[in-house]
Amino acid sequence: MKKLFLLCCITAVIIVCVVARVTKYNQFHDAEINGKLESVYRNRDYVMISVNGEEFRIIPVSLSTAANFDEVAKVGDTISKMAGSDKFNLIHEEDEVFLYTVRKYW
């Protein structure tokens, strides 16, 4: 009986963790974003960004450079992304364009 209870608890924790990651990914994936970065910082394996008053938790992967997103991006840079897409552009200091995508869950 203890094993069954322990198995149920572990399964519940795993489900809660997976649902949280899927929800945050879907929020970013479904959003149309076109605006200036208001904040950018790393939180564990995520990068937290705020654009137009909305905060997103993403795992960015560069398609155009070896530099990490949180090393390149600065407050005031422009981000543009179409709804339903994982790819987005970072326009750094109004003259450099970097292309990124996001990892789905981890």
PDB file of all heavy atoms in Angstrom, residues 26-47:
ATOM      1  N   ASN A  26       3.333  26.979 -24.551  1.00  0.00           N
ATOM      2  CA  ASN A  26       2.166  27.317 -25.373  1.00  0.00           C
ATOM      3  C   ASN A  26       1.849  28.807 -25.317  1.00  0.00           C
ATOM      4  O   ASN A  26       1.423  29.391 -26.316  1.00  0.00           O
ATOM      5  CB  ASN A  26       0.948  26.496 -24.952  1.00  0.00           C
ATOM      6  CG  ASN A  26       1.066  25.060 -25.384  1.00  0.00           C
ATOM      7  OD1 ASN A  26       1.803  24.730 -26.307  1.00  0.00           O
ATOM      8  ND2 ASN A  26       0.356  24.182 -24.703  1.00  0.00           N
ATOM      9  N   GLN A  27       2.048  29.440 -24.168  1.00  0.00           N
ATOM     10  CA  GLN A  27       1.815  30.877 -24.037  1.00  0.00           C
ATOM     11  C   GLN A  27       2.716  31.640 -25.006  1.00  0.00           C
ATOM     12  O   GLN A  27       2.269  32.544 -25.704  1.00  0.00           O
ATOM     13  CB  GLN A  27       2.078  31.338 -22.608  1.00  0.00           C
ATOM     14  CG  GLN A  27       1.947  32.833 -22.413  1.00  0.00           C
ATOM     15  CD  GLN A  27       2.515  33.313 -21.083  1.00  0.00           C
ATOM     16  OE1 GLN A  27       3.184  32.573 -20.367  1.00  0.00           O
ATOM     17  NE2 GLN A  27       2.259  34.553 -20.768  1.00  0.00           N
ATOM     18  N   PHE A  28       3.986  31.265 -25.069  1.00  0.00           N
ATOM     19  CA  PHE A  28       4.920  31.935 -25.973  1.00  0.00           C
ATOM     20  C   PHE A  28       4.608  31.581 -27.424  1.00  0.00           C
ATOM     21  O   PHE A  28       4.587  32.449 -28.293  1.00  0.00           O
ATOM     22  CB  PHE A  28       6.361  31.543 -25.639  1.00  0.00           C
ATOM     23  CG  PHE A  28       7.382  32.205 -26.520  1.00  0.00           C
ATOM     24  CD1 PHE A  28       7.764  33.514 -26.283  1.00  0.00           C
ATOM     25  CD2 PHE A  28       7.951  31.535 -27.585  1.00  0.00           C
ATOM     26  CE1 PHE A  28       8.701  34.138 -27.095  1.00  0.00           C
ATOM     27  CE2 PHE A  28       8.884  32.145 -28.399  1.00  0.00           C
ATOM     28  CZ  PHE A  28       9.263  33.447 -28.151  1.00  0.00           C
ATOM     29  N   HIS A  29       4.360  30.309 -27.701  1.00  0.00           N
ATOM     30  CA  HIS A  29       4.113  29.832 -29.063  1.00  0.00           C
ATOM     31  C   HIS A  29       2.902  30.527 -29.692  1.00  0.00           C
ATOM     32  O   HIS A  29       2.931  30.891 -30.858  1.00  0.00           O
ATOM     33  CB  HIS A  29       3.909  28.314 -29.053  1.00  0.00           C
ATOM     34  CG  HIS A  29       3.629  27.734 -30.392  1.00  0.00           C
ATOM     35  ND1 HIS A  29       4.626  27.514 -31.316  1.00  0.00           N
ATOM     36  CD2 HIS A  29       2.479  27.346 -30.980  1.00  0.00           C
ATOM     37  CE1 HIS A  29       4.094  27.004 -32.404  1.00  0.00           C
ATOM     38  NE2 HIS A  29       2.799  26.887 -32.229  1.00  0.00           N
ATOM     39  N   ASP A  30       1.840  30.709 -28.923  1.00  0.00           N
ATOM     40  CA  ASP A  30       0.594  31.276 -29.442  1.00  0.00           C
ATOM     41  C   ASP A  30       0.587  32.804 -29.525  1.00  0.00           C
ATOM     42  O   ASP A  30      -0.266  33.384 -30.186  1.00  0.00           O
ATOM     43  CB  ASP A  30      -0.588  30.819 -28.578  1.00  0.00           C
ATOM     44  CG  ASP A  30      -0.784  29.307 -28.650  1.00  0.00           C
ATOM     45  OD1 ASP A  30      -0.292  28.678 -29.608  1.00  0.00           O
ATOM     46  OD2 ASP A  30      -1.415  28.757 -27.726  1.00  0.00           O
ATOM     47  N   ALA A  31       1.538  33.457 -28.873  1.00  0.00           N
ATOM     48  CA  ALA A  31       1.534  34.929 -28.808  1.00  0.00           C
ATOM     49  C   ALA A  31       2.180  35.544 -30.047  1.00  0.00           C
ATOM     50  O   ALA A  31       3.157  35.021 -30.579  1.00  0.00           O
ATOM     51  CB  ALA A  31       2.277  35.394 -27.569  1.00  0.00           C
ATOM     52  N   GLU A  32       1.619  36.667 -30.484  1.00  0.00           N
ATOM     53  CA  GLU A  32       2.283  37.490 -31.489  1.00  0.00           C
ATOM     54  C   GLU A  32       3.018  38.580 -30.719  1.00  0.00           C
ATOM     55  O   GLU A  32       2.417  39.322 -29.939  1.00  0.00           O
ATOM     56  CB  GLU A  32       1.288  38.114 -32.454  1.00  0.00           C
ATOM     57  CG  GLU A  32       1.964  38.952 -33.514  1.00  0.00           C
ATOM     58  CD  GLU A  32       1.011  39.445 -34.587  1.00  0.00           C
ATOM     59  OE1 GLU A  32      -0.094  38.897 -34.703  1.00  0.00           O
ATOM     60  OE2 GLU A  32       1.390  40.387 -35.291  1.00  0.00           O
ATOM     61  N   ILE A  33       4.319  38.651 -30.922  1.00  0.00           N
ATOM     62  CA  ILE A  33       5.139  39.571 -30.145  1.00  0.00           C
ATOM     63  C   ILE A  33       5.831  40.535 -31.098  1.00  0.00           C
ATOM     64  O   ILE A  33       6.451  40.111 -32.071  1.00  0.00           O
ATOM     65  CB  ILE A  33       6.198  38.811 -29.314  1.00  0.00           C
ATOM     66  CG1 ILE A  33       5.515  37.822 -28.386  1.00  0.00           C
ATOM     67  CG2 ILE A  33       7.072  39.768 -28.537  1.00  0.00           C
ATOM     68  CD1 ILE A  33       6.457  36.880 -27.690  1.00  0.00           C
ATOM     69  N   ASN A  34       5.713  41.796 -30.817  1.00  0.00           N
ATOM     70  CA  ASN A  34       6.400  42.820 -31.582  1.00  0.00           C
ATOM     71  C   ASN A  34       6.584  44.021 -30.667  1.00  0.00           C
ATOM     72  O   ASN A  34       5.662  44.799 -30.477  1.00  0.00           O
ATOM     73  CB  ASN A  34       5.617  43.204 -32.837  1.00  0.00           C
ATOM     74  CG  ASN A  34       6.456  44.010 -33.796  1.00  0.00           C
ATOM     75  OD1 ASN A  34       7.649  44.174 -33.602  1.00  0.00           O
ATOM     76  ND2 ASN A  34       5.816  44.529 -34.829  1.00  0.00           N
ATOM     77  N   GLY A  35       7.745  44.135 -30.071  1.00  0.00           N
ATOM     78  CA  GLY A  35       7.967  45.239 -29.148  1.00  0.00           C
ATOM     79  C   GLY A  35       9.364  45.231 -28.576  1.00  0.00           C
ATOM     80  O   GLY A  35      10.209  44.421 -28.946  1.00  0.00           O
ATOM     81  N   LYS A  36       9.588  46.133 -27.661  1.00  0.00           N
ATOM     82  CA  LYS A  36      10.887  46.300 -27.015  1.00  0.00           C
ATOM     83  C   LYS A  36      10.973  45.428 -25.767  1.00  0.00           C
ATOM     84  O   LYS A  36       9.989  45.250 -25.047  1.00  0.00           O
ATOM     85  CB  LYS A  36      11.094  47.760 -26.608  1.00  0.00           C
ATOM     86  CG  LYS A  36      11.027  48.740 -27.746  1.00  0.00           C
ATOM     87  CD  LYS A  36      12.383  48.963 -28.321  1.00  0.00           C
ATOM     88  CE  LYS A  36      12.274  50.056 -29.387  1.00  0.00           C
ATOM     89  NZ  LYS A  36      13.470  50.124 -30.173  1.00  0.00           N
ATOM     90  N   LEU A  37      12.153  44.892 -25.525  1.00  0.00           N
ATOM     91  CA  LEU A  37      12.405  44.125 -24.301  1.00  0.00           C
ATOM     92  C   LEU A  37      12.357  45.070 -23.108  1.00  0.00           C
ATOM     93  O   LEU A  37      13.040  46.082 -23.085  1.00  0.00           O
ATOM     94  CB  LEU A  37      13.785  43.486 -24.354  1.00  0.00           C
ATOM     95  CG  LEU A  37      13.920  42.107 -24.948  1.00  0.00           C
ATOM     96  CD1 LEU A  37      15.383  41.716 -25.011  1.00  0.00           C
ATOM     97  CD2 LEU A  37      13.137  41.094 -24.187  1.00  0.00           C
ATOM     98  N   GLU A  38      11.526  44.730 -22.147  1.00  0.00           N
ATOM     99  CA  GLU A  38      11.445  45.521 -20.918  1.00  0.00           C
ATOM    100  C   GLU A  38      12.334  44.948 -19.830  1.00  0.00           C
ATOM    101  O   GLU A  38      12.828  45.669 -18.974  1.00  0.00           O
ATOM    102  CB  GLU A  38       9.990  45.592 -20.455  1.00  0.00           C
ATOM    103  CG  GLU A  38       9.103  46.310 -21.454  1.00  0.00           C
ATOM    104  CD  GLU A  38       7.623  46.108 -21.194  1.00  0.00           C
ATOM    105  OE1 GLU A  38       7.257  45.349 -20.270  1.00  0.00           O
ATOM    106  OE2 GLU A  38       6.831  46.701 -21.931  1.00  0.00           O
ATOM    107  N   SER A  39      12.514  43.616 -19.856  1.00  0.00           N
ATOM    108  CA  SER A  39      13.441  42.965 -18.932  1.00  0.00           C
ATOM    109  C   SER A  39      13.877  41.642 -19.533  1.00  0.00           C
ATOM    110  O   SER A  39      13.152  41.026 -20.313  1.00  0.00           O
ATOM    111  CB  SER A  39      12.789  42.734 -17.558  1.00  0.00           C
ATOM    112  OG  SER A  39      11.759  41.789 -17.646  1.00  0.00           O
ATOM    113  N   VAL A  40      15.068  41.224 -19.167  1.00  0.00           N
ATOM    114  CA  VAL A  40      15.603  39.933 -19.600  1.00  0.00           C
ATOM    115  C   VAL A  40      16.553  39.437 -18.513  1.00  0.00           C
ATOM    116  O   VAL A  40      17.426  40.169 -18.058  1.00  0.00           O
ATOM    117  CB  VAL A  40      16.304  40.016 -20.982  1.00  0.00           C
ATOM    118  CG1 VAL A  40      17.417  41.036 -20.978  1.00  0.00           C
ATOM    119  CG2 VAL A  40      16.808  38.670 -21.428  1.00  0.00           C
ATOM    120  N   TYR A  41      16.330  38.210 -18.050  1.00  0.00           N
ATOM    121  CA  TYR A  41      17.222  37.618 -17.050  1.00  0.00           C
ATOM    122  C   TYR A  41      17.083  36.108 -17.084  1.00  0.00           C
ATOM    123  O   TYR A  41      16.096  35.568 -17.574  1.00  0.00           O
ATOM    124  CB  TYR A  41      16.935  38.149 -15.639  1.00  0.00           C
ATOM    125  CG  TYR A  41      15.546  37.874 -15.118  1.00  0.00           C
ATOM    126  CD1 TYR A  41      15.284  36.744 -14.341  1.00  0.00           C
ATOM    127  CD2 TYR A  41      14.487  38.730 -15.400  1.00  0.00           C
ATOM    128  CE1 TYR A  41      14.014  36.483 -13.860  1.00  0.00           C
ATOM    129  CE2 TYR A  41      13.216  38.483 -14.927  1.00  0.00           C
ATOM    130  CZ  TYR A  41      12.983  37.353 -14.155  1.00  0.00           C
ATOM    131  OH  TYR A  41      11.717  37.105 -13.695  1.00  0.00           O
ATOM    132  N   ARG A  42      18.101  35.426 -16.584  1.00  0.00           N
ATOM    133  CA  ARG A  42      18.110  33.962 -16.550  1.00  0.00           C
ATOM    134  C   ARG A  42      17.553  33.488 -15.217  1.00  0.00           C
ATOM    135  O   ARG A  42      17.862  34.040 -14.170  1.00  0.00           O
ATOM    136  CB  ARG A  42      19.523  33.432 -16.740  1.00  0.00           C
ATOM    137  CG  ARG A  42      19.584  31.908 -16.730  1.00  0.00           C
ATOM    138  CD  ARG A  42      20.875  31.380 -17.287  1.00  0.00           C
ATOM    139  NE  ARG A  42      20.994  31.532 -18.722  1.00  0.00           N
ATOM    140  CZ  ARG A  42      20.428  30.720 -19.607  1.00  0.00           C
ATOM    141  NH1 ARG A  42      19.691  29.723 -19.206  1.00  0.00           N
ATOM    142  NH2 ARG A  42      20.597  30.924 -20.894  1.00  0.00           N
ATOM    143  N   ASN A  43      16.710  32.456 -15.278  1.00  0.00           N
ATOM    144  CA  ASN A  43      16.147  31.819 -14.095  1.00  0.00           C
ATOM    145  C   ASN A  43      16.300  30.312 -14.285  1.00  0.00           C
ATOM    146  O   ASN A  43      15.543  29.717 -15.029  1.00  0.00           O
ATOM    147  CB  ASN A  43      14.683  32.205 -13.920  1.00  0.00           C
ATOM    148  CG  ASN A  43      14.077  31.617 -12.677  1.00  0.00           C
ATOM    149  OD1 ASN A  43      14.758  31.026 -11.855  1.00  0.00           O
ATOM    150  ND2 ASN A  43      12.774  31.767 -12.535  1.00  0.00           N
ATOM    151  N   ARG A  44      17.312  29.728 -13.665  1.00  0.00           N
ATOM    152  CA  ARG A  44      17.681  28.323 -13.834  1.00  0.00           C
ATOM    153  C   ARG A  44      17.966  28.041 -15.311  1.00  0.00           C
ATOM    154  O   ARG A  44      18.856  28.651 -15.879  1.00  0.00           O
ATOM    155  CB  ARG A  44      16.625  27.402 -13.255  1.00  0.00           C
ATOM    156  CG  ARG A  44      16.580  27.481 -11.734  1.00  0.00           C
ATOM    157  CD  ARG A  44      15.528  26.620 -11.175  1.00  0.00           C
ATOM    158  NE  ARG A  44      14.243  27.232 -11.502  1.00  0.00           N
ATOM    159  CZ  ARG A  44      13.085  26.718 -11.178  1.00  0.00           C
ATOM    160  NH1 ARG A  44      13.030  25.576 -10.558  1.00  0.00           N
ATOM    161  NH2 ARG A  44      11.965  27.337 -11.477  1.00  0.00           N
ATOM    162  N   ASP A  45      17.231  27.138 -15.956  1.00  0.00           N
ATOM    163  CA  ASP A  45      17.496  26.831 -17.362  1.00  0.00           C
ATOM    164  C   ASP A  45      16.635  27.665 -18.311  1.00  0.00           C
ATOM    165  O   ASP A  45      16.700  27.489 -19.514  1.00  0.00           O
ATOM    166  CB  ASP A  45      17.312  25.344 -17.636  1.00  0.00           C
ATOM    167  CG  ASP A  45      15.935  24.824 -17.265  1.00  0.00           C
ATOM    168  OD1 ASP A  45      15.241  25.497 -16.481  1.00  0.00           O
ATOM    169  OD2 ASP A  45      15.545  23.751 -17.752  1.00  0.00           O
ATOM    170  N   TYR A  46      15.841  28.571 -17.781  1.00  0.00           N
ATOM    171  CA  TYR A  46      14.983  29.434 -18.597  1.00  0.00           C
ATOM    172  C   TYR A  46      15.584  30.825 -18.731  1.00  0.00           C
ATOM    173  O   TYR A  46      16.389  31.251 -17.921  1.00  0.00           O
ATOM    174  CB  TYR A  46      13.612  29.623 -17.935  1.00  0.00           C
ATOM    175  CG  TYR A  46      12.769  28.397 -17.892  1.00  0.00           C
ATOM    176  CD1 TYR A  46      12.624  27.682 -16.716  1.00  0.00           C
ATOM    177  CD2 TYR A  46      12.096  27.962 -19.021  1.00  0.00           C
ATOM    178  CE1 TYR A  46      11.829  26.551 -16.661  1.00  0.00           C
ATOM    179  CE2 TYR A  46      11.302  26.835 -18.976  1.00  0.00           C
ATOM    180  CZ  TYR A  46      11.168  26.132 -17.804  1.00  0.00           C
ATOM    181  OH  TYR A  46      10.393  25.019 -17.760  1.00  0.00           O
ATOM    182  N   VAL A  47      15.115  31.551 -19.754  1.00  0.00           N
ATOM    183  CA  VAL A  47      15.356  32.983 -19.845  1.00  0.00           C
ATOM    184  C   VAL A  47      13.989  33.639 -19.721  1.00  0.00           C
ATOM    185  O   VAL A  47      13.050  33.287 -20.428  1.00  0.00           O
ATOM    186  CB  VAL A  47      16.028  33.366 -21.177  1.00  0.00           C
ATOM    187  CG1 VAL A  47      16.133  34.877 -21.310  1.00  0.00           C
ATOM    188  CG2 VAL A  47      17.401  32.728 -21.282  1.00  0.00           C
TER     189      VAL A  47
END
